[in-house]
Amino acid sequence: MQVSKKLASSANGSGESLRSVIARLALDEAMFGNAFMEVVTDVNGSFLSFYHVDASKCRLARDNERVVMHHDWSAFRISEAVSLPLYPNFEEHEDGTLRAVVHYKDYEPMFSHYGVAPYIAGLDAAAILYKTDRWNVARIDNSFQMSGVMMLDGAVG
């Protein structure tokens, strides 16, 4: 019981609570349809830490076995990227820790590599509503009058 209280109040070495880590994961999953959590332990299992990893900085490797993390994908350099295995596979690091990344994703049929955010289905409908409202407001602002009249001289062929 003591271990679970400690983990709940301090989920990682940064002193974040488990609630804080889970809240960030939930936000990422709602916004991106994907969330990534780094799990850190050691060979003896003497500690367990959970870290939120910003979903915008994560990509899955082609083999679906690793997560590649980079701070700026528009200026990607392989030398700056960090790669960790997907849970349940762990990888030992120089500091003696074992690390893995858990990938949470919103399931959609035919999307096995990444999750799909729930709002994606409504984007087309939202775009139509936005354009319709914008057109109606323009008509009201114009008092339902034509914006202009084009007059052509009779001499124009």
Side-chain angles (χ1 to χ4, degrees):
M1 186 65 154
Q2 188 67 3
V3 174
S4 62
K5 283 184 181 179
K6 183 180 177 193
L7 184 62
S9 63
S10 181
N12 56 43
S14 301
E16 294 176 299
S17 69
L18 189 57
R19 178 185 298 268
S20 173
V21 173
I22 291 172
R24 289 188 184 131
L25 292 170
L27 180 62
D28 277 359
E29 192 170 11
M31 297 293 293
F32 299 105
N34 298 276
F36 297 88
M37 179 179 70
E38 184 176 357
V39 180
V40 182
T41 188
D42 63 3
V43 177
N44 300 325
S46 62
F47 72 94
L48 181 63
S49 294
F50 300 117
Y51 292 89
H52 163 260
V53 183
D54 184 353
S56 68
K57 299 180 184 334
C58 296
R59 302 290 185 268
L60 291 176
R62 287 186 182 139
D63 62 3
N64 270 345
E65 297 291 324
R66 301 185 70 77
V67 175
V68 180
M69 295 169 276
H70 193 271
H71 65 282
D72 183 4
W73 289 104
S74 65
F76 178 76
R77 290 192 188 112
I78 192 74
S79 61
E80 298 173 345
V82 175
S83 174
L84 290 174
L86 278 170
Y87 181 84
N89 301 319
F90 281 85
E91 182 175 271
E92 189 168 358
H93 284 252
E94 295 174 3
D95 60 0
T97 58
L98 297 175
R99 296 171 184 258
V101 174
V102 177
H103 178 206
Y104 298 95
K105 58 185 173 183
D106 286 340
Y107 172 76
E108 290 291 330
M110 298 177 60
F111 290 92
S112 59
H113 202 61
Y114 287 105
V116 178
Y119 62 84
I120 294 296
L123 283 180
D124 287 341
I128 291 169
L129 287 173
Y130 169 74
K131 290 175 183 177
T132 303
D133 287 345
R134 193 176 68 188
W135 184 74
N136 285 333
V137 167
R139 288 186 57 193
I140 291 170
D141 287 347
N142 220 7
S143 300
F144 293 93
Q145 300 295 320
M146 293 188 338
S147 296
V149 177
M150 180 185 289
M151 303 205 46
L152 296 175
D153 186 2
V156 175

